[in-house]
Amino acid sequence: MFTCLCHCLNFRIFLPQKCLLFAQILRTVLLIRIRQYFAGFAYYIGYTDMILTDASREHFSSIQFRVRKATAQSQSAVPFEYEDEPFFPAYQAITEVWKKHRPQRKVAEAFKISRNSLKAWDQLFSTHGAVALLPDIAHVPVDSALERLVLLVKASRPHERANYTLRMAEALEIPGASLDIIHQIQRSHGYGQRMDEKDLQYWTGLQHILESVVKQKEKSSKPIRDLKDRPGSFFNFHRDHLQHRVELFKALSQLDKKRQIRSVLQEFGMAPNRFYVLKNRYMIYGVWGLADLVQKGQTGEKISPHLELQIIEERLMDPSLSTAKVIKKFDLKCSRANVQKIYARWKLSRFKKPIPIRGVLPSAVPAPIEKEHPKGESSAKSRFPDLIDSAGLKVNRCFLQFIKRLAYKKVVISNPGSILLAPFLDQLGVVEAWHTHGPQSLRSFEITNNIIVNVMRIIAGFPSINDFTMNADRSVALAAGLTLNPKKTRFYEAFDELRFSHLQKLRNDASCRARELGIIDGKEIAVDYHCDPSDSRFPVDKSLSKAPDKNGDMVYAHRPQILWDSISNTIINIAYCEGKSRAPSALYRFCEQNLFQIIDPDVIAEIYADSEYTGEKQLIYLTVRSESDVTMCLKQNPKIKRWKEQTIQQENWQDYREIYRIASRDFILPETGKAFRFIVKQNKETNATRCFGSTHTDYSPTKILDAYHIRWPVETGIKDLIENYFLNKPPGTSPEKVETHYYCIMLARLVVDYFRSLLCIPQWRSPEDWECVLSTIRTSIFSNQNCELSLDDSGDLLITYLDGDRHGIKQRLAEFLLQRKNNGLNRVSWWGNRGVQVQIKDQYAC
């Protein structure tokens, strides 16, 4: 098309002498504009580089070795032929036919090829030259937009993982995206696990060579050789540059002295400096390094990859961003055309709804929601009780072999807690939930899965995956229906396909099942945040954002948002919240997706919120949506400070306990007309003040403050999750893997609370009726125990404690498990519906 337009501009008309100069200037300007347009168009559509297969990458990776080997075996300082390169036999066969004029039949027999192949080489050599004899490389067809996206992410964020690129490709609706394809693209361009700069240079240079070879083969032109005069037209160095270099290296390889090189270079008209450049390329890329390189034209001014990726992210998350708004948001000093190129290149204008890229998206504050009774959800365990049988799920084959061996041989274990809690985890329906709401690619035909392994790891007390995989005890693996501890790769890469949509459904299913089992009460609920500063060296590359820590400093952090049942003192739900998502926007989304989908608003009697939720709109939302009372600690923003000054001016103080005094005043919320009791609590010695508020206008200030202590279980619960469930030690790097860790913690806490509530051990409760934490249970019966594992007569796993039962807890546990077996509840699906029993021996007794 460009050529046709150029021919159209080569018009010849008769003009006066004064107009001739103007016509020439006009023609030159039009040609420049057309070139700029088509250069920009080529940049928009891009081109597809060679995405090499594993065999092709292995072939090019070993070229340097094969060239060095040929150099060492030859007597010359300049190498030429090396092993396993199809170009050399093809060129030698063409030489025999063209230069020596041998019959094609004899040449084909000598080189053990078909005559059709030789005829094809003959035709290609006459048309395109020696470059046509370079073999076609096996490659994987990939959408050019996906390849461009992978390179853009790696150029701007070198340490970003592939699952982020997959998430971006899905958001941009690029077809054919998968982790395998993304990894192949990365490896084909030199982005390996080591992130070595030399690898990047090598594979980038190879891509340039392969692209140049393809373009030269596809270039249509007149034949450069005459088929009727093969011997006379064989050497055509002025048009076949690759042949010229091949013949030069062939001649140099026959020399045995270095001082003879200069005369050969002079004969071939090659400058010494140019020769050594070609020699270095030959040592690196072999004969491919001798091909001419097609230089890439300039495309004009270009926005940096990092800024381009930021613009794509912001536009996907906020469809209202126009090019002008993007320039204003990033404070760019460039034309709108540059930003418009990015919009056109990635077709961003077609996205009309916000797409979640990472974490929870900030959104506008919605209007108060009218009373709405959602349909009661039920868990996958109650909906599909026969899912394991109907789906044809199998017990791990190695585990079945281990069970057969266990019938006649005992195994020593030290962490029986994970095995003891396996029947209770099975009651939570983790298998049914995974095969209902999990990603399709991660649903295997085995009943067990990596979620079960992680939950058991947390229960057993391994704070990190490294501690777990390096441990010799196999209790966790056996509890999960395996025989060996999975390697780190299974933990870090097995969850790459998990998305927030999957985790949302999985978490809600666990909450619904906990409600069905009576673990969750749902009458008095506390909402809180926890800030976990990230220790990553590259937090920006991992899609982490900043949030305030305890000291008020802005740090890169994971920020879980937690719903807690204050009556049963257990977790309701936990979700990853992006650091920059503040309470106003995060609260609405979190409650709608994680609270009101599980617990009917009519059940909720009181909601307790921390100071981060301070705001009249949040208060109205919680009050109207749940039709319950709300009590909250208030952050002293300008409006709260005005209320505090008005309350203090009344000087209506009364003592509260020993060191405090309190004052209260009722205010009317303007949007609803409801009364709100505002309380100022002041330290008598330091005059430090804290503000509280409640919709309980019928309560006295003292009663409101006393009732606010019901919120404290969430504070102690978060500390328990940090110390005993390793909340602050998420494996992996992406936000999805962090939330996967939160999901495993949620399951582990629910399982422990379920087990503790049913067993009812008096020693595990304090005089104040506070329940013990997991560390106490680990010390008693879960971890660091001297046990043997075997099979009893009924086929159940039998744990034998060998150090006696000083406090009687183990005997109570044995009776409890036997009773559950009689009720049909002591069985584990990933064990083949086997259960677990306990017996006690004292090996030190006389």
Side-chain angles (χ1 to χ4, degrees):
M1 184 184 294
F2 173 72
T3 305
C4 296
L5 288 174
C6 293
H7 283 306
C8 293
L9 290 174
N10 288 329
F11 50 83
R12 293 181 178 274
I13 58 175
F14 295 99
L15 295 173
Q17 187 67 27
K18 295 182 180 180
C19 299
L20 183 59
L21 179 61
F22 175 76
Q24 292 177 348
I25 293 174
L26 177 62
R27 176 179 175 273
T28 303
V29 172
L30 289 175
L31 285 173
I32 292 174
R33 292 298 183 187
I34 291 173
R35 287 192 183 99
Q36 290 177 347
Y37 173 78
F38 279 96
F41 181 73
Y43 180 64
Y44 290 151
I45 61 175
Y47 54 84
T48 301
D49 289 343
M50 285 286 185
I51 307 306
L52 305 177
T53 62
D54 294 339
S56 298
R57 283 197 305 272
E58 184 178 355
H59 172 78
F60 283 109
S61 298
S62 62
I63 280 183
Q64 297 182 35
F65 165 76
R66 286 181 275 132
V67 173
R68 289 194 301 268
K69 181 180 178 181
T71 305
Q73 292 176 349
S74 66
Q75 300 298 323
S76 175
V78 180
F80 178 58
E81 272 191 81
Y82 53 88
E83 297 177 353
D84 297 331
E85 182 55 68
F87 172 82
F88 295 115
Y91 185 73
Q92 184 63 31
I94 291 297
T95 303
E96 295 288 333
V97 173
W98 283 68
K99 186 177 180 181
K100 300 180 180 180
H101 207 66
R102 291 186 59 188
Q104 291 186 359
R105 180 178 57 82
K106 293 185 177 182
V107 172
E109 292 177 355
F111 285 89
K112 297 180 180 181
I113 58 176
S114 65
R115 293 187 62 184
N116 291 334
S117 298
L118 184 60
K119 289 180 179 179
W121 289 347
D122 186 75
Q123 184 66 37
L124 292 173
F125 182 72
S126 67
T127 305
H128 299 287
V131 72
L133 301 180
L134 291 170
D136 294 332
I137 301 302
H139 63 281
V140 181
V142 175
D143 192 289
S144 60
L146 178 60
E147 181 183 8
R148 189 187 302 118
L149 177 63
V150 173
L151 298 182
L152 177 66
V153 172
K154 278 298 180 182
S156 57
R157 300 174 186 174
H159 302 278
E160 188 61 80
R161 295 182 68 86
N163 61 337
Y164 170 79
T165 307
L166 177 61
R167 187 163 63 251
M168 289 291 295
E170 292 174 351
L172 292 169
E173 299 179 358
I174 299 177
S178 67
L179 286 175
D180 290 338
I181 294 297
I182 292 173
H183 288 151
Q184 284 185 319
I185 295 175
Q186 292 175 349
R187 290 192 292 266
S188 296
H189 288 271
Y191 294 102
Q193 293 180 351
R194 294 180 298 172
M195 298 298 295
D196 194 300
E197 187 66 25
K198 293 182 180 179
D199 288 346
L200 183 61
Q201 293 176 359
Y202 173 80
W203 292 104
T204 302
L206 180 62
Q207 289 290 339
H208 193 184
I209 292 173
L210 297 179
E211 175 200 352
S212 302
V213 169
V214 170
K215 288 189 175 181
Q216 292 178 43
K217 287 183 178 181
E218 294 177 350
K219 183 172 62 176
S220 60
S221 60
K222 294 181 180 179
I224 62 177
R225 289 180 173 82
D226 188 2
L227 290 173
K228 297 180 180 180
D229 184 17
R230 286 186 170 89
S233 61
F234 175 69
F235 293 110
N236 190 358
F237 294 156
H238 68 282
R239 295 190 64 184
D240 194 346
H241 299 160
L242 179 60
Q243 185 194 27
H244 177 249
R245 296 163 188 169
V246 167
E247 290 294 333
L248 169 64
F249 275 72
K250 185 176 180 180
L252 292 174
S253 66
Q254 299 172 0
L255 302 178
D256 55 354
K257 297 181 180 180
K258 290 186 177 180
R259 62 175 178 266
Q260 299 174 344
I261 293 178
R262 189 171 294 273
S263 59
V264 177
L265 293 179
Q266 184 176 359
E267 179 185 352
F268 278 83
M270 178 72 68
N273 292 341
R274 177 59 179 168
F275 161 69
Y276 286 109
V277 171
L278 291 174
K279 181 183 177 182
N280 290 335
R281 286 173 52 186
Y282 190 90
M283 294 296 295
I284 296 174
Y285 300 107
V287 70
W288 297 83
L290 303 181
D292 279 336
L293 299 181
V294 177
Q295 301 300 324
K296 298 180 180 181
Q298 298 294 329
T299 58
E301 55 180 307
K302 182 182 178 182
I303 290 179
S304 66
H306 182 72
L307 179 58
E308 182 174 354
L309 188 59
Q310 278 187 311
I311 292 175
I312 296 172
E313 289 179 333
E314 294 297 330
R315 177 57 178 78
L316 290 175
M317 293 190 293
D318 186 2
S320 65
L321 285 180
S322 61
T323 54
K325 291 181 179 179
V326 167
I327 292 175
K328 183 178 181 180
K329 181 171 184 176
F330 290 99
D331 194 20
L332 302 179
K333 302 298 187 294
C334 66
S335 64
R336 291 179 59 181
N338 287 335
V339 181
Q340 187 61 43
K341 287 179 183 179
I342 298 176
Y343 273 55
R345 185 178 306 135
W346 301 102
K347 302 177 182 179
L348 298 177
S349 300
R350 59 197 172 111
F351 300 106
K352 306 301 181 183
K353 295 182 180 180
I355 301 174
I357 300 300
R358 60 182 185 274
V360 180
L361 297 178
S363 58
V365 177
I369 303 176
E370 298 296 333
K371 180 180 179 181
E372 179 182 351
H373 296 280
K375 296 181 180 179
E377 292 191 3
S378 57
S379 64
K381 179 80 171 179
S382 60
R383 287 186 179 182
F384 313 109
D386 301 327
L387 184 144
I388 295 177
D389 295 332
S390 61
L393 303 181
K394 306 292 190 302
V395 181
N396 182 271
R397 183 167 56 89
C398 295
F399 182 79
L400 291 177
Q401 295 175 355
F402 170 80
I403 291 295
K404 293 180 181 179
R405 181 186 178 189
L406 201 62
Y408 58 86
K409 185 175 182 179
K410 296 180 180 180
V411 176
V412 177
I413 59 173
S414 60
N415 298 307
S418 54
I419 299 177
L420 292 173
L421 291 190
F424 301 90
L425 180 61
D426 187 56
Q427 286 296 310
L428 278 180
V430 61
V431 176
E432 289 80 0
W434 182 257
H435 286 273
T436 303
H437 305 298
Q440 180 68 32
S441 57
L442 296 183
R443 301 179 198 171
S444 64
F445 287 102
E446 288 189 0
I447 303 176
T448 187
N449 55 60
N450 290 334
I451 294 293
I452 298 175
V453 180
N454 272 281
V455 174
M456 295 304 183
R457 170 185 66 87
I458 294 171
I459 292 174
F462 295 107
S464 66
I465 292 173
N466 182 68
D467 296 332
F468 164 61
T469 55
M470 297 300 292
N471 193 276
D473 187 61
R474 295 291 183 264
S475 300
V476 172
L478 296 177
L482 305 173
T483 54
L484 297 176
N485 292 342
K487 296 182 180 180
K488 290 184 182 180
T489 306
R490 181 162 184 170
F491 291 101
Y492 286 114
E493 297 182 1
F495 295 134
D496 283 341
E497 300 290 341
L498 276 174
R499 296 291 176 266
F500 284 114
S501 58
H502 302 133
L503 293 166
Q504 178 72 55
K505 296 176 181 178
L506 289 170
R507 288 187 289 100
N508 284 1
D509 186 90
S511 297
C512 292
R513 184 59 182 169
R515 184 198 62 204
E516 294 168 356
L517 294 174
I519 307 174
I520 294 174
D521 186 63
K523 292 182 180 179
E524 294 185 349
I525 296 171
V527 190
D528 204 353
Y529 276 123
H530 169 64
C531 182
D532 172 24
S534 172
D535 57 354
S536 171
R537 294 173 55 195
F538 309 101
V540 178
D541 296 350
K542 298 171 183 176
S543 302
L544 301 182
S545 52
K546 290 187 175 182
D549 61 4
K550 293 182 179 180
N551 299 325
D553 300 328
M554 298 300 293
V555 296
Y556 287 100
H558 310 293
R559 210 169 184 221
Q561 196 171 5
I562 302 172
L563 285 170
W564 203 266
D565 193 312
S566 296
I567 298 299
S568 59
N569 191 19
T570 189
I571 190 172
I572 297 177
N573 221 324
I574 180 173
Y576 177 89
C577 181
E578 189 183 14
K580 70 178 182 180
S581 296
R582 309 308 302 157
S585 58
L587 177 65
Y588 308 130
R589 184 184 298 272
F590 181 63
C591 289
E592 289 299 324
Q593 295 180 352
N594 302 278
L595 176 60
F596 298 120
Q597 294 291 333
I598 302 165
I599 301 175
D600 195 292
D602 291 339
V603 178
I604 302 173
E606 185 101 18
I607 295 179
Y608 299 91
D610 200 2
S611 59
E612 293 188 352
Y613 300 95
T614 299
E616 186 175 348
K617 292 182 179 180
Q618 294 92 286
L619 175 64
I620 293 173
Y621 167 77
L622 292 175
T623 304
V624 175
R625 183 69 175 90
S626 64
E627 287 193 348
S628 63
D629 290 302
V630 178
T631 302
M632 56 198 317
C633 178
L634 301 174
K635 187 176 182 180
Q636 297 189 29
N637 56 31
K639 184 172 184 177
I640 299 301
K641 288 181 179 179
R642 289 197 302 270
W643 285 5
K644 182 181 70 172
E645 293 174 358
Q646 296 175 16
T647 305
I648 293 177
Q649 287 176 0
Q650 292 181 348
E651 296 185 353
N652 187 18
W653 295 102
Q654 57 179 332
D655 292 334
Y656 179 71
R657 298 188 177 174
E658 295 181 359
I659 62 174
Y660 296 104
R661 60 176 184 173
I662 57 176
S664 65
R665 179 176 177 178
D666 291 346
F667 292 91
I668 302 299
L669 301 178
E671 294 190 16
T672 61
K674 292 185 177 181
F676 183 73
R677 179 148 293 177
F678 181 77
I679 304 170
V680 179
K681 177 183 174 183
Q682 188 178 65
N683 191 303
K684 296 179 182 179
E685 297 178 358
T686 62
N687 290 331
T689 60
R690 293 187 67 188
C691 300
F692 298 85
S694 176
T695 56
H696 280 295
T697 55
D698 55 333
Y699 284 7
S700 66
T702 302
K703 186 175 181 180
I704 292 176
L705 292 182
D706 290 340
Y708 185 74
H709 288 280
I710 298 177
R711 202 193 71 84
W712 289 122
V714 68
E715 299 288 349
T716 58
I718 291 176
K719 293 180 181 179
D720 181 38
L721 295 181
I722 295 172
E723 295 176 1
N724 298 309
Y725 296 85
F726 320 115
L727 179 66
N728 287 0
K729 296 182 179 180
T733 54
S734 65
E736 288 91 344
K737 289 185 179 178
V738 175
E739 182 158 302
T740 303
H741 177 62
Y742 294 163
Y743 171 57
C744 295
I745 289 175
M746 175 183 170
L747 289 174
R749 174 74 193 213
L750 290 174
V751 168
V752 172
D753 290 342
Y754 184 40
F755 169 77
R756 183 175 51 195
S757 64
L758 294 177
L759 189 56
C760 299
I761 300 297
Q763 294 91 326
W764 292 349
R765 302 185 72 90
S766 65
E768 294 82 8
D769 204 29
W770 285 97
E771 296 177 344
C772 68
V773 295
L774 178 56
S775 58
T776 305
I777 305 179
R778 286 198 186 115
T779 306
S780 302
I781 58 174
F782 277 4
S783 301
N784 300 322
Q785 303 291 319
N786 191 5
C787 302
E788 289 181 345
L789 182 66
S790 60
L791 287 183
D792 65 0
D793 296 337
S794 64
D796 290 345
L797 299 181
L798 178 63
I799 298 176
T800 304
Y801 287 92
L802 300 177
D803 294 340
D805 185 15
R806 181 179 179 183
H807 301 288
I809 297 177
K810 299 170 185 176
Q811 184 60 39
R812 174 72 184 92
L813 175 63
E815 297 172 357
F816 170 68
L817 292 176
L818 182 59
Q819 181 183 359
R820 287 183 64 85
K821 178 178 176 61
N822 297 331
N823 296 332
L825 299 175
N826 187 357
R827 57 183 181 180
V828 182
S829 57
W830 53 87
W831 293 351
N833 287 328
R834 291 176 175 84
V836 59
Q837 298 297 328
V838 170
Q839 71 176 7
I840 302 97
K841 291 183 180 180
D842 190 353
Q843 61 182 349
Y844 302 107
C846 296

